[in-house]
Amino acid sequence: MIVKKLHDAGVQSEHAYAAAFGSIGLSLVSWLASNRQENLERADRWGIFVGEWAPTFFALGLALANYEQSDSAVADR
């Protein structure tokens, strides 16, 4: 249901994959920025917090890719 709504809104699997890779980069940037201004423990927490988004975006990308594939298979019939 959520995947269908995302697909209907125009979100494609490539968008979710791009967001996943972007969150990996943002995790590194946030860790570096936080590491310079705060202590190491807090910097690690920021990096891990943002880094946890990547698996969610990858999972959404896979779900959307499966939906797109099944949607095109139905259209081919």
Side-chain angles (χ1 to χ4, degrees):
M1 182 171 164
I2 293 173
V3 174
K4 182 182 182 328
K5 288 190 183 275
L6 286 172
H7 185 265
D8 292 345
V11 179
Q12 297 177 353
S13 59
E14 291 85 15
H15 299 139
Y17 293 141
F21 284 114
S23 71
I24 292 170
L26 184 61
S27 174
L28 178 63
V29 168
S30 68
W31 180 79
L32 288 172
S34 183
N35 194 26
R36 289 185 182 162
Q37 295 181 1
E38 300 174 9
N39 61 12
L40 183 60
E41 290 177 8
R42 186 160 176 136
D44 287 344
R45 285 189 213 121
W46 270 112
I48 290 170
F49 172 71
V50 177
E52 288 178 350
W53 300 346
T56 304
F57 287 129
F58 278 123
L60 280 174
L62 286 172
L64 285 165
N66 287 337
Y67 185 83
E68 292 163 1
Q69 192 174 36
S70 68
D71 194 36
S72 66
V74 170
D76 289 343
R77 288 184 191 175

